[in-house]
Amino acid sequence: MNKKIDLKEAISIGIGGMVGGGIFAVLGLAVSLAKGGTPIAFLFAGILALITSYSYVKLSKKYPDSGGTVKFINQGFGKTIFSGGINNLLWISYIIMLSLYASAFGSYAPNLLELTHDIIIDSHIYASAIIILATAINYYSIAVVGKIESYAVIIKLVILISFIFIGAYGLIGNPNVAQLAISQWEAPIKLFAGGMVIFVAYEGFELIANAAPDIINPEKNIPKAYYYSVIFVIVLYIIIALVTVGSLPFAKIATAQDYVLAEAAKPMLGKIGFSIITVAALISTFSAINASLYGGSKVNYEIAEDDELPHHFLAKVWNQPIGLLITAIATLILVNLLQLESISTAGSVGFLLIFGFVNLVGYRLSKETNSNKIIPLVGFVLCITATVILIKQQYASNTIGVIISIAIIGFCFLLEWIYKKSEKKKTVPNKELR
């Protein structure tokens, strides 16, 4: 349990957290929103992730704790209704991410094996089945979850990098390369909004914070782990976006939106390429579901431990925190109720707000963390601005997604307010008795 983590393993945690199911789930959505400017949309989102990683570096070095983001929020705002609401939003955002990964798994799987004659029913069956399987594995053994993660990171990176090299070669003489021309880009505000919708593809770097107490030579390795992993993923996503937009006509991308990466492998490798990328997507999304289920239940446990959720959440069911079961059930409900774009919007809004407030903590504690005040402040302003732009842009085309996002945020703070009020009522009679 007390195994030390070296730089290579810390970078793997960051890359593995980001290159989970995100790129497979949101690439088609990104192209539909940004068109030829999709690589720029990924760049916008990546720059915001990189600025935010600065706050994470400084906070992880000063306050290394396995609670990660939960502890940073409490450190900056105290254990208040506000910090409790933000931490609840983090837990709910994990559930949204799980729904996104399961939705991607459900979109790719029927391409290999149809269960019924209805693709929508098939995708729901697969999405539900993978959540149930991952929950069973998490209950069976956390060690198995770790092993799956370590192998999955290598497999998906090998396949994605191979896709890049083969796909880039396939761009020679491909007429669809013209789609990358500036004339094919959406307006700058739409590019930015597109980048924010798919911001969820970058959120996983924050997992390094949970590993910070165990990282060898933290002064040197914590900054390297964050910056190397985020920069690597920005470059990876931009090249994948270039290859995809240059390989397929927009109409084809729109048709295959939910499994577009597999479709993009077809021009060069035909059906075999399609199948290989589909398998990579299934492995990636499965490993991301596995890790996020574990992470989500851990976040839920940490929040309850900090008196920001009822202590009932500290209870265990089959030797695991009850939060694991609640997280899995909530994910099953969400994935079967919401469309991909609504899930992605809600996830991005959640993480933009969380990262915005982590940046604000970085700004407020800049003296304690010995950091530059300007970078966290810029990060905070950008995250909040991005949230407003995202909500405004999405409201026109995805009203349900925006309403769900706002309702989730309201629910998180309401839940915390009710809990804190009920706790106060319990303590007042006790004091009177004394």
Side-chain angles (χ1 to χ4, degrees):
M1 289 298 289
N2 297 319
K3 181 185 177 288
K4 286 290 178 184
I5 295 166
D6 63 22
L7 178 60
K8 193 177 70 182
E9 288 168 324
I11 292 169
S12 293
I13 289 168
I15 293 172
M18 286 181 277
V19 190
I23 187 67
F24 295 98
V26 300
L27 180 61
L29 180 61
V31 179
S32 72
L33 293 166
K35 297 291 188 286
T38 302
I40 305 300
F42 274 109
L43 179 63
F44 282 151
I47 289 168
L48 193 49
L50 193 58
I51 291 168
T52 302
S53 70
Y54 176 83
S55 295
Y56 269 93
V57 165
K58 296 297 184 179
L59 292 166
S60 297
K61 280 163 70 177
K62 181 69 180 174
Y63 310 107
D65 192 290
S66 62
T69 304
V70 173
K71 299 295 179 185
F72 299 158
I73 295 292
N74 288 342
Q75 194 71 43
F77 299 106
K79 291 178 184 177
T80 60
I81 290 172
F82 179 77
S83 58
I86 292 294
N87 287 330
N88 287 339
L89 182 61
L90 177 66
W91 175 43
I92 300 293
S93 295
Y94 263 96
I95 294 168
I96 293 164
M97 290 304 299
L98 278 160
S99 307
L100 187 73
Y101 299 150
S103 175
F105 189 95
S107 297
Y108 277 87
N111 293 310
L112 284 186
L113 180 66
E114 284 185 22
L115 301 174
T116 68
H117 294 298
D118 190 319
I119 195 103
I120 295 166
I121 293 170
D122 279 3
S123 65
H124 281 288
I125 292 168
Y126 276 117
S128 303
I130 202 64
I131 295 162
I132 294 163
L133 177 62
T135 307
I137 290 169
N138 268 265
Y139 271 112
Y140 173 69
S141 169
I142 294 303
V144 173
V145 175
K147 274 195 176 142
I148 289 170
E149 268 305 285
S150 57
Y151 289 124
V153 169
I154 296 163
I155 293 166
K156 63 193 171 192
L157 282 180
V158 166
I159 293 174
L160 283 173
I161 290 165
S162 304
F163 165 81
I164 284 169
F165 281 109
I166 295 163
Y169 179 75
L171 294 182
I172 300 164
N174 191 321
N176 296 310
V177 173
Q179 293 180 153
L180 291 162
I182 294 173
S183 59
Q184 297 293 320
W185 295 9
E186 285 287 2
I189 194 81
K190 276 196 171 181
L191 285 183
F192 186 76
M196 294 311 105
V197 171
I198 49 98
F199 185 73
V200 286
Y202 285 104
E203 63 77 29
F205 71 84
E206 53 105 18
L207 295 174
I208 297 170
N210 303 86
D214 300 316
I215 294 175
I216 297 164
N217 193 0
E219 275 299 309
K220 278 187 174 179
N221 288 341
I222 285 176
K224 284 180 180 176
Y226 278 107
Y227 298 142
Y228 290 1
S229 60
V230 173
I231 290 166
F232 173 83
V233 171
I234 291 171
V235 173
L236 183 75
Y237 284 173
I238 288 171
I239 300 171
I240 287 172
L242 284 167
V243 170
T244 304
V245 175
S247 297
L248 295 170
F250 289 137
K252 195 74 172 274
I253 292 170
T255 310
Q257 184 175 316
D258 295 346
Y259 52 92
V260 71
L261 208 59
E263 198 66 42
K266 258 189 178 176
M268 271 302 291
L269 297 170
K271 186 69 182 165
I272 293 169
F274 181 90
S275 300
I276 290 168
I277 296 292
T278 301
V279 169
L282 297 179
I283 292 167
S284 287
T285 47
F286 174 51
S287 76
I289 291 163
N290 246 330
S292 299
L293 261 175
Y294 175 64
S297 65
K298 204 165 186 270
V299 163
N300 174 271
Y301 191 87
E302 293 275 354
I303 297 168
E305 221 175 25
D306 287 339
D307 287 324
E308 291 171 338
L309 272 177
H311 282 191
H312 300 299
F313 285 101
L314 297 174
K316 294 203 169 182
V317 177
W318 300 309
N319 214 29
Q320 290 297 339
I322 195 169
L324 176 59
L325 188 63
I326 296 165
T327 301
I329 292 166
T331 305
L332 275 171
I333 294 165
L334 268 191
V335 80
N336 286 297
L337 280 182
L338 301 183
Q339 297 291 322
L340 180 71
E341 191 169 356
S342 296
I343 298 170
S344 189
T345 300
S348 287
V349 166
F351 276 106
L352 282 168
L353 279 177
I354 292 157
F355 288 166
F357 289 116
V358 169
N359 280 316
L360 187 57
V361 171
Y363 170 74
R364 292 175 75 169
L365 301 178
S366 56
K367 268 189 185 170
E368 290 89 329
T369 58
N370 191 28
S371 57
N372 181 313
K373 261 188 153 182
I374 305 297
I375 300 170
L377 185 61
V378 168
F380 170 69
V381 171
L382 280 176
C383 283
I384 300 305
T385 306
T387 307
V388 173
I389 290 170
L390 172 59
I391 288 170
K392 192 168 177 287
Q393 283 292 120
Q394 282 286 289
Y395 190 74
S397 60
N398 182 24
T399 313
I400 292 169
V402 171
I403 291 166
I404 288 163
S405 305
I406 293 166
I408 286 168
I409 295 161
F411 171 75
C412 291
F413 285 95
L414 181 66
L415 187 74
E416 192 60 29
W417 182 76
I418 292 167
Y419 173 63
K420 285 280 199 282
K421 282 279 180 192
S422 67
E423 284 299 290
K424 262 189 187 174
K425 277 181 184 172
K426 279 180 197 170
T427 53
V428 169
N430 287 344
K431 281 180 184 173
E432 285 170 1
L433 283 168
R434 281 174 207 158

XYZ file of all heavy atoms in Angstrom, residues 135-142 144 320:
82
model
N -18.113 -2.796 -11.828
C -18.480 -2.731 -10.403
C -18.125 -4.044 -9.720
O -17.549 -4.058 -8.625
C -19.994 -2.435 -10.240
O -20.315 -1.267 -10.990
C -20.359 -2.228 -8.782
N -18.422 -5.153 -10.387
C -18.096 -6.476 -9.836
C -16.584 -6.626 -9.639
O -16.127 -7.143 -8.613
C -18.623 -7.569 -10.768
N -15.788 -6.161 -10.620
C -14.321 -6.236 -10.518
C -13.821 -5.383 -9.355
O -12.940 -5.803 -8.593
C -13.647 -5.819 -11.849
C -13.903 -6.886 -12.920
C -12.135 -5.597 -11.673
C -13.531 -6.476 -14.329
N -14.388 -4.180 -9.198
C -13.994 -3.302 -8.083
C -14.308 -3.945 -6.729
O -13.553 -3.774 -5.775
C -14.696 -1.945 -8.189
C -13.881 -0.927 -8.961
O -13.144 -0.132 -8.384
N -13.979 -0.971 -10.282
N -15.420 -4.675 -6.660
C -15.757 -5.373 -5.420
C -14.854 -6.589 -5.209
O -14.484 -6.907 -4.089
C -17.229 -5.802 -5.405
C -18.126 -4.743 -4.843
C -19.038 -4.069 -5.650
C -18.058 -4.384 -3.495
C -19.855 -3.068 -5.138
C -18.870 -3.398 -2.973
C -19.761 -2.742 -3.793
O -20.557 -1.757 -3.272
N -14.486 -7.233 -6.299
C -13.661 -8.443 -6.207
C -12.247 -8.119 -5.729
O -11.748 -8.717 -4.788
C -13.620 -9.146 -7.571
C -12.660 -10.322 -7.618
C -12.927 -11.492 -6.896
C -11.488 -10.255 -8.369
C -12.038 -12.554 -6.921
C -10.603 -11.315 -8.409
C -10.882 -12.471 -7.686
O -9.997 -13.514 -7.712
N -11.592 -7.140 -6.386
C -10.209 -6.827 -6.016
C -9.737 -5.507 -6.611
O -9.780 -5.324 -7.824
C -9.287 -7.964 -6.490
O -7.946 -7.582 -6.386
N -9.256 -4.614 -5.742
C -8.696 -3.338 -6.193
C -7.383 -3.597 -6.943
O -7.036 -2.875 -7.881
C -8.466 -2.389 -4.985
C -9.808 -1.989 -4.361
C -7.670 -1.153 -5.376
C -10.806 -1.330 -5.287
N -6.764 -5.971 -9.014
C -7.122 -6.297 -10.406
C -7.377 -5.009 -11.183
O -6.962 -4.869 -12.339
C -8.360 -7.240 -10.461
C -8.835 -7.429 -11.884
C -8.030 -8.590 -9.834
N -16.265 -2.875 0.650
C -15.927 -1.658 -0.101
C -16.847 -0.523 0.349
O -17.969 -0.783 0.798
C -16.101 -1.888 -1.613
C -15.078 -2.816 -2.246
C -13.653 -2.299 -2.175
O -13.418 -1.117 -2.004
N -12.695 -3.203 -2.287
